[in-house]
Amino acid sequence: MTDVPMMRAATPRRRQMPLARAVRAVLPPLAFCLVVIVAWEVMARVLASPLVPDVAEVYGELLRIVPTGAALQQIGVTLGRILSGSVLAFAVAVGLGIAIARNRLLAAFFEPGIILGLTVPGLVWALLCVIWFGVSWKTPVVAIGLGVAPALTVSVVQGVRAIDPDLIEMAHVFRIPRSAQLRRLWLPAMVPFLLSGARLGFSLAWKVIVLVEIFGLSSGVGYQLNSEFSSQNVAGVLAWTIAFGVVMAIIEYGMLQTLERRLTRWRRVSRV
Amino acid sequence: MSGGINFARVDKTHHRPHTGEAETILRDFSLEVLPGELVAVVGPSGIGKTTLLHLAAGLDAPDRGTIRVGDGAREPRIGMVFQQPRLLDWLKVAENVAIATDAAGVGRAQGARMLASVELASYAEAYPLALSGGQRQRVALARAFAIEPDVVLLDEPFSALDELTARRLRGLLQDLWLKHAPTGLLVTHNTLEAAFLADRIVVLGCRPARIEKIIEVGEARPRSPEDPALFEIHREIIAGLV
């Protein structure tokens, strides 16, 4: 018997081409959308009801609102309101969340407020703000702030509590000022929690702003939805919802995920 | 000169986390580390060695007695090397050092020089996770010395490394000490490490902690880890511990 050298050529690791990677990333969500469209069309044909318009009808409404720029303008108005309210909610949540996570007395003091904030429906904040502020920029900002801040605060508290206490101890020994600790230690350590909070915040803010725009404002996607509802145009309601959903998807895939990849690139370095 | 570290008649009691039971760690404990001196503290686990470092670092306060760090003229610059490197993984190596130098008011150029001293200049723009354990601990050494410290506290700095890497880093630490001469307090379980690095070795025993023995290491620096005299000191420490 001859000695067979126990050697095997190293299998080269297959590296995905950028195009293949992009296709793999895009294909599943596209397939999901396709399944939903087909399912809707089947449902519309089976039910044959004016309350469930078929895909062509909804597409026709989309063609009515998108090319004229009306959709983009109204979505821009709504997004601006969401952004303003979210900035307020974010500022409150970061300050409050850090304080609560670090101080048991403050945690006990604010706990009922946060529970109340989490349980009160967005509808209540929308109604109250319309009553208090009327047709004013304050209405959407405060309503979104009140609707989003409690959930965001909970995310921040969880983020602060997940920070490695050894790192805080190191920062204390090296006498790193609080402002530098916040910028270089606390916020970067909380990035996953802040991003999931931002996603949650956007979805909550959208639900609140639609109500505010329905009840108290004369512009924005909520107002348009209400107009289509009043004229019993179900395809119009769906078209506005789809147009806004597409913009939100662009924000998620184009901005939030890019931001997440950028902020967590240190995790993807090869380990020695 | 950097100013020393002085524990004067210090009492410290800890409360066990679950039972709340009080446990006296230090009672009437006194120890003086002279300016520019490196004192190693050895002793059984749980005797209070890390408590001494925490008190010196200002992470904990004594129940009674006083602790003086530095010369008293200004707030002392304290550098510390922990068992784990405790780097901020999301900051590049140079930024990890810069966060400490910025806080100490020392120019960033000093951080770059110190990274070169620990042979990591080419890794300045790397993230810590791309480094080996030994390299990360070298960054921690660079961070501690880049602030031009009055006092350096070392909490079992090489215990998490393999022996070959630890040996190399001890040599590196000795070089840094020769160059910068801060005051130092080293806590270690490794008696040879204590003999190799320290000017004086304090052997703790009993509970509350008591100084059982003080061993002067007269060997001149730079020392060799193979120096037979260090093995003699190692045997003397072991004799003091058992």
Side-chain angles (χ1 to χ4, degrees):
Chain A
M1 195 173 159
T2 52
D3 281 342
V4 178
M6 291 295 288
M7 281 172 69
R8 213 179 287 165
T11 316
R13 223 178 134 191
R14 268 196 293 168
R15 292 193 66 183
Q16 275 191 336
M17 301 294 287
L19 185 66
R21 255 206 320 266
V23 168
R24 275 176 71 101
V26 169
L27 221 53
L30 274 183
F32 173 80
C33 294
L34 203 67
V35 167
V36 171
I37 291 168
V38 170
W40 185 273
E41 184 63 25
V42 169
M43 186 172 70
R45 287 186 186 193
V46 169
L47 294 174
S49 159
L51 298 179
V52 186
D54 61 19
V55 172
E57 223 176 316
V58 178
Y59 182 66
E61 282 297 319
L62 273 171
L63 284 182
R64 180 176 65 84
I65 61 171
V66 174
T68 57
L72 210 61
Q73 191 209 347
Q74 297 298 316
I75 289 169
V77 169
T78 297
L79 275 181
R81 289 169 182 156
I82 287 180
L83 206 66
S84 315
S86 298
V87 167
L88 174 71
F90 203 78
V92 171
V94 168
L96 199 60
I98 290 176
I100 285 174
R102 303 282 292 168
N103 188 311
R104 281 185 190 179
L105 196 67
L106 281 178
F109 179 78
F110 282 110
E111 192 181 37
I114 289 173
I115 291 171
L116 191 74
L118 287 171
T119 50
V120 170
L123 174 68
V124 174
W125 297 129
L127 284 173
L128 285 174
C129 287
V130 169
I131 293 165
W132 290 333
F133 306 114
V135 183
S136 152
W137 63 268
K138 286 181 228 162
T139 306
V141 172
V142 177
I144 290 173
L146 287 167
V148 173
L152 214 51
T153 304
V154 173
S155 283
V156 173
V157 170
Q158 286 170 342
V160 173
R161 288 188 177 153
I163 296 175
D164 185 353
D166 284 351
L167 293 181
I168 297 172
E169 205 174 82
M170 178 279 294
H172 187 86
V173 172
F174 282 94
R175 310 287 192 265
I176 295 167
R178 276 186 187 278
S179 58
Q181 279 190 42
L182 186 69
R183 280 185 293 112
R184 314 301 291 275
L185 196 168
W186 294 54
L187 288 177
M190 283 164 25
V191 157
F193 295 89
L194 292 177
L195 284 172
S196 71
R199 286 195 175 98
L200 180 70
F202 264 125
S203 66
L204 287 173
W206 159 238
K207 290 176 180 99
V208 174
I209 193 64
V210 165
L211 294 166
V212 171
E213 287 174 347
I214 286 174
F215 291 121
L217 299 173
S218 54
S219 60
V221 177
Y223 174 76
Q224 298 301 333
L225 284 171
N226 199 28
S227 300
E228 303 292 358
F229 171 76
S230 304
S231 51
Q232 297 192 339
N233 181 4
V234 184
V237 171
L238 287 170
W240 278 102
T241 309
I242 290 167
F244 192 80
V246 168
V247 172
M248 290 303 263
I250 290 169
I251 290 174
E252 166 64 31
Y253 287 106
M255 286 169 63
L256 283 177
Q257 288 194 12
T258 308
L259 188 69
E260 186 168 24
R261 271 197 299 277
R262 196 177 152 72
L263 291 174
T264 58
R265 66 189 159 189
W266 56 270
R267 284 187 184 157
R268 291 187 294 279
V269 295
S270 55
R271 286 168 185 264
V272 177
Chain B
M1 192 49 95
S2 53
I5 307 170
N6 187 277
F7 296 87
R9 309 199 69 178
V10 169
D11 285 2
K12 184 67 196 169
T13 300
H14 280 316
H15 294 274
R16 290 177 193 234
H18 300 297
T19 59
E21 194 184 328
E23 186 183 9
T24 304
I25 305 292
L26 303 172
R27 184 180 295 148
D28 209 25
F29 182 88
S30 297
L31 173 68
E32 173 139 39
V33 182
L34 299 171
E37 186 185 30
L38 174 53
V39 168
V41 180
V42 296
S45 293
I47 198 82
K49 302 186 296 292
T50 299
T51 302
L52 284 177
L53 283 184
H54 279 207
L55 289 168
L59 292 171
D60 213 343
D63 301 329
R64 197 177 70 89
T66 56
I67 297 155
R68 185 179 50 75
V69 178
D71 57 11
R74 61 173 169 83
E75 167 116 9
R77 283 194 195 133
I78 299 175
M80 192 159 177
V81 184
F82 306 89
Q83 201 171 341
Q84 299 296 332
R86 300 197 188 184
L87 302 178
L88 304 176
D89 290 336
W90 44 86
L91 295 185
K92 291 174 181 170
V93 164
E95 292 168 326
N96 263 286
V97 178
I99 195 172
T101 51
D102 289 352
V106 176
R108 289 193 174 196
Q110 177 63 11
R113 274 194 291 276
M114 205 49 67
L115 279 175
S117 299
V118 297
E119 298 156 26
L120 283 177
S122 57
Y123 287 88
E125 293 303 308
Y127 284 105
L129 287 183
L131 273 54
S132 67
Q135 287 172 322
R136 282 202 283 270
Q137 200 61 339
R138 268 147 68 190
V139 178
L141 274 178
R143 180 178 62 191
F145 280 85
I147 63 169
E148 296 175 356
D150 300 303
V151 167
V152 174
L153 305 171
L154 303 141
D155 189 4
E156 300 184 47
F158 311 125
S159 63
L161 302 174
D162 65 87
E163 183 47 33
L164 274 179
T165 310
R167 195 175 162 132
R168 187 163 168 232
L169 262 66
R170 281 181 209 119
L172 209 55
L173 178 59
Q174 176 176 245
D175 294 345
L176 289 170
W177 219 275
L178 281 169
K179 204 167 167 187
H180 300 277
T183 304
L185 193 58
L186 162 72
V187 161
T188 180
H189 282 289
N190 186 325
T191 50
L192 269 175
E193 180 173 285
F196 176 69
L197 289 169
D199 297 301
R200 208 154 40 109
I201 299 162
V202 172
V203 182
L204 294 184
C206 289
R207 194 182 295 254
R210 193 176 68 195
I211 296 175
E212 295 286 349
K213 196 171 191 177
I214 293 179
I215 301 164
E216 300 281 345
V217 184
E219 299 302 304
R221 289 193 180 96
R223 296 170 189 165
S224 158
E226 304 303 333
D227 187 343
L230 300 184
F231 286 91
E232 276 305 313
I233 293 164
H234 153 73
R235 274 191 281 277
E236 201 181 334
I237 301 170
I238 297 290
L241 281 170
V242 291

